Each structure stands twice: as C-alpha cells, then as structure tokens.
Amino acid sequence: MSKEIIVNVADTRTRIAIVEEGKLAELYIENAEHKRTIGNLYLGIVRRVMPSIRAAFVDIGQEQDAFLHFSDLSENLPQLKDFLSQNTPKVESVSLPNNLHDQSPNPTDHLRRNQRLLVQVKKEPIANKGSRISTDLSMAGRFIVLVPLSKVVAVSRKIEKDKERNRLKALAGSLVPDGFGVIVRTVAEGRDAKSLDKDLRLLLERWRRVENRLAQATNAPTLIHEDVDMASSIIRDQFSDEFDRILIDNKALFHSVRSYVRAVAPSMVSRVEYHSKSTPIFEAADIQQGADRAFKDRVELPSGGYLFIERTEAMHVVDVNSGRSGRGKSQSQNSLDVNLEAARVIARQVRLRDLGGIIVVDFIDLRDEKARKKVYDELKALFEEDRAITKVLPMSDFGLVQITRQRLRPSLTSSFASSSGVTVDSDDESDTYRQRLREAQSRLARLENRLQSAQEKVKERESEIEQLKRQADRAADDASTDTSDDAHERPASEEISALNDELEQVKQALQVERSKHGQTRSARDKAKTEARKAKKQLEAAERERDAQAKAAEQAKAKAAEAAQSAEAVAHGAESTRPADEVIDALDTWVAEHAAQHRAVTLRVHPFLAAYLTRAVPSYPTQWFMRHFVRVHLETDETVSPLSFAIDAPDTGATLVEA
C-alpha cells in the first residue's frame, strides 16, 4: 500500500495528512487554541477525592479539573509519593520492592485533598469534561518507551516472532538503568543495540530535565514536561518502512525532520522531501477536496446514494440513504450494494474526522440475515485497520449498527469549522453568515499559502540575479586583465554576453514573479475584506439570535403555565381518561410500529404537548432513545386535550387517531 505523510505549515496552524493509495485517510490540525497535550507531565493538586465514583479530580492548570479514575493509579503510587517528597527528586534514591507490580495500593490511603501529585495526560479535554490523567508515567521515544519507578521490561505484542521478542527483551534489559523500566516498540524490530541505546540516552536526558524542574517547582499546578507537537508525534509514532515519503512545505520543519530521521533511521532520510512549488501542498497532493469534504454533514456515495453524519451531545449518528442509486436492480440487491458501499465510506470518514465515543449507523433495512452479516463483516474488517480501539456490534433488526471508538481528543469537526484550521463555534454551523465566514477564512488561508510561495519565488529570483551579476563581473575582470592573447578575448566577451543575456532573462522572470506576487497580495487583501464583512454579518446575526433566545425564554415561561394547565386537565375530576393512559397508548404504538415508521408527526392539544415536553428527558426524546423513532411534536387546538393523532411526515396521511 502506498502511504505518505503531508505536512502543511502556516503562521497560525499546522495541518498533517496521512495519505493511503492517493486518498486522504487521516487529518490532524493543530493551532494555538488546540495544541496537543497528550503525554504532558503536570505537577497538580488533588482537589477532591470521591470514593463513591472511584475517582479524584486534580487541578493541573486547565479550565476544568482533570479526571483521575482509580483504575489509572499505578502500582508504584507509594514510591511516586516518596519520589515527590525529596528536595531533589531522583529515581535512583527511591527503593523499589521486588513485588512492585503485585502491589495494589488503596487509593483513599494515598490520595488526600491539596496533595501535590505528578500526573500524565492520557486523554485531552472534550466539551465540558477535563483531561483524563494517570499516575502511570512514561516517555515515548522512537524505539522504546521509558517507564520511571518501574522494573518492567516488555516488548510490543505486535512483534510476533518469539526469537525476536526474546532478543529485544534481553537487549533492553541489559541497557536499562536501575529504577527504570522499558517497553520496546514495534518499530524496534530488527534494530541493533546501538539504536536502542541512543534512544534510551535521549529519553534519560529528558527525564533528568523533569527531575530538575520538579526540584525547582515552588508552585503547583505547573507544567513539568511538554511532549512533542502534533507533527513530530505523528512522524515519531507512525513513520516507518510502510511510508514512501514525508512531504513538508516549511524549510525549518523540513530540516528538523530530516535531522531526526537521519539520527534514528539513516536509510530513510531520502524519503523526507521539501515541497518548493508555488501550488499549495494539499492541492499538489490532490487531497484538498477530501479535506474539505470532512467538514460537510452530507457525504456523497459513488453510486448516487449519500450519508448524513450528525453530532449530538451523546453520540454521532450516521444515516444511509440510497438516493439515485439502484437503476436496473432489485430493491434487496440495491439496498445491499448501497450498504456495503456506505460501510467503506463510513469507516474512512470516521477515521478521517477522528470520531470517538458512541457511533450509531442507520443502514437501509435488510430483511435477509445473510445480507446483514455481510455488511457487518465488511464494516468490522475495515475498522481492523484503524489504530484506534474500535468495537462493532452486529446489525439489529432495525438496521442499526452500534460502534464504540477510542476517543483521545475532540473530533476534528467539533474543534474546527473547515479544513483550513479556522476555529468557529459549532453551535451555529448551519447559520448562513457563519458559513460565509468559514468560506472566506478558507479562501484567505489558501491565498496566504500562495502568497508565501510567491515570496519565496521572488527571493530565489533575486538571489539568482545577484549570483549572475557576480559571475558577469568576474568574467569582465578576467577579460580586462588578460589582453595579451587575442584568442582568449573572444571567448571571454562571448561569456560576458551570454551571462548578460541570462541576467536579462532572469530579470524578466523576476518581473513575472513580482506581478504574480502582487496579484496574490491583492486577492489576499480582497479575501480579508470579505472575511471582515462576513464577520460583521455574523455578529449582527448573533445579536438577532440573542434577541430570539430572549423571546424563546418568554415563550418557555408561557409553556410552563400551559404545563400547569395540562396537569390540571390530566388529573381533573371531569377527565374521563388520565394522561398516563394516553402516554401508555402512545408508547405502545411507537414500539409496535418502530420497524415501519422511523419518523412520525404527533399532533396533540397544546396542554398535552406541554405535559409531554415537561419530563426530563422529554417523551419524544425517550421514544428516540428506546425505539430509535423520531417523533416530531405539533400542537393542534382542534385535537381533544387527552387525544392524539399520528401522521406520516412524507405524505401527511393520518396513521392513527385515538
């Protein structure tokens, strides 16, 4: 399989793309607001210890206190406390028992409020949840992972050959100093002692800096060690013989990566390439359109069908639609073909958008059990290629497939508004003005890249002119001093003439580049103006939204009054049918018809509507959670307060009245 890493660096953000067989497989964006924190070490302060939920909350200097589950406490917690209690912390000064990894310290005995604790980030903050942290500390290198206050010597499970595993384990065990453990990584397969020893020395130097900062730390919380940035992390953890090249459009990063690869894998240094062309690197690699599609709710399928990918508070939901596909096929065959095609696209989009947590896919209904299993097997096989831990459950009778995927950071689409790395609040993504702002910002980012390339071209041309001028001056000097031989004069004058001609050509090329540079700058300035205009329109729209929100609050107050009236009606003496009986009838109907109707419109009297929405969660939400049926609530004063009507949303036909 052909694989590449494409790195685009701009003033405000860095984009890293993993390309497989010419298609965009993974996309990472890092800017000042969304910096990678996984692997960082913090000296934090325990704020709360809560045995009831088997967790503690630790202040590490972020907006939300970090979450430390008791299962993330390491066996060496007592030794870690001894290490931190020293005036000059040194791992070698801590005595490690022989049965270290058999220890099972009681969290409540070792954690107390306002205690200082050294922790490492394992998961980044997501929404209103803080980082997930652990006391199981480690520092990752290219070939090994260094584990302080440990005796473990282990080898990656992905190295399957017993002979190689034993060799690496013995090699690592002979190199590691007292007080430390090591885990040999997969890329170390086939490496010699020199490679592992060099990597180990770099990690030990890094850990000594951690000890020095701990000794100097007077206040907590504080950052003790910052792991590498996103680009360096991906190159360190993923770049291997499977990749054909790393393409980078920034000279400083190019030289840095090249030096790193030369140190750890000299035979692969030729695969690190610099992108010097004026065409933006993502466009040159033909992945810009794929990056843009990752931020759209609707994803087209090659056959004519399409997907809708939506984010809710609790999960991501994917809806599969057949669209225009299926000409000349039976319904069952078309449904199977579209579902199989959708499974391939879903696996790619989930990985590209880095969706995590619970994902529910609503496939087109399949009656044949073999067809359902075929779609499930296809989806499961595709997710086996994903580096994130993923679990896929078989398709239900309703055509639903539930997926859980390891989530280490917020998804790409929840953090950024477009592939250019612009950060926009996702609550109003459907707003017209916000869409204009995203498009203007995206155009501006592309023009900034082109302007940077144009500036580099102008500098190169100017450098060529200076060099040619110096050559012409030297040739003229040689010609003026060597006047004794006429045979030499003619070639010298011809050389000067040729150099002057070449100089004129380069000057003309410089004028062209400067003209392009000026045009690009003008286009950039125009895009900036459009972005400012879109931002002003957005601010006006947000002010209008705030006014609407205020009106909604007033409407909510009126609804509360209506709810009280509804309760009075539901429990009134004149009522011949209690409200609970109506709810039971609705619940029974939704459950019995869930397979036939995925979405319905429920018409009820305003009093009953207020009663249905007063519960937390509301009854329509409960029906969706239990039966996966979307119930759209409509108020109709012509309906009796304790009656209801259910209509089909597409035809408007009444399905039931009761």
Side-chain angles (χ1 to χ4, degrees), residues 143-147 150-156 159 164-178 180-185 188 191-201 204:
F143 302 120
I144 62 175
V145 177
L146 182 68
V147 186
S150 174
K151 292 185 174 183
V152 65
V153 177
V155 179
S156 169
I159 300 177
E164 179 65 6
R165 290 179 62 86
N166 293 334
R167 183 186 75 86
L168 289 172
K169 188 171 183 179
L171 191 59
S174 65
L175 296 173
V176 64
D178 292 339
F180 293 91
V182 288
I183 301 172
V184 182
R185 307 187 72 177
R191 297 289 175 176
D192 56 13
K194 185 178 179 181
S195 299
L196 269 63
D197 184 54
K198 187 174 183 179
D199 204 28
L200 178 61
R201 289 178 183 276
L204 287 171

Side-chain angles (χ1 to χ4, degrees), residues 577 582 586 602-605 608 612 636 638-645 657-658:
R577 188 182 188 190
V582 180
L586 280 168
L602 173 62
R603 288 187 292 112
V604 295
H605 191 275
L608 185 56
L612 291 172
D636 188 347
T638 63
V639 179
S640 172
L642 292 176
S643 299
F644 64 89
E657 286 184 337

Side-chain angles (χ1 to χ4, degrees), residues 414-479:
S414 67
S415 301
F416 300 95
S418 70
S419 62
S420 62
V422 178
T423 305
V424 179
D425 186 2
S426 61
D427 291 342
D428 298 314
E429 284 184 332
S430 60
D431 185 87
T432 304
Y433 297 117
R434 193 171 295 281
Q435 179 65 25
R436 287 182 189 174
L437 178 59
R438 286 202 301 269
E439 292 172 356
Q441 294 276 23
S442 182
R443 285 198 303 273
L444 181 60
R446 288 197 294 270
L447 286 168
E448 290 282 6
N449 285 338
R450 290 179 181 173
L451 182 60
Q452 183 180 352
S453 299
Q455 288 172 339
E456 290 181 0
K457 282 287 185 183
V458 169
K459 288 180 181 178
E460 288 176 6
R461 294 297 185 188
E462 289 175 342
S463 177
E464 287 181 24
I465 288 175
E466 289 298 323
Q467 186 176 358
L468 286 169
K469 280 183 178 179
R470 286 194 296 270
Q471 290 178 4
D473 291 342
R474 282 198 300 269
D477 291 342
D478 293 342

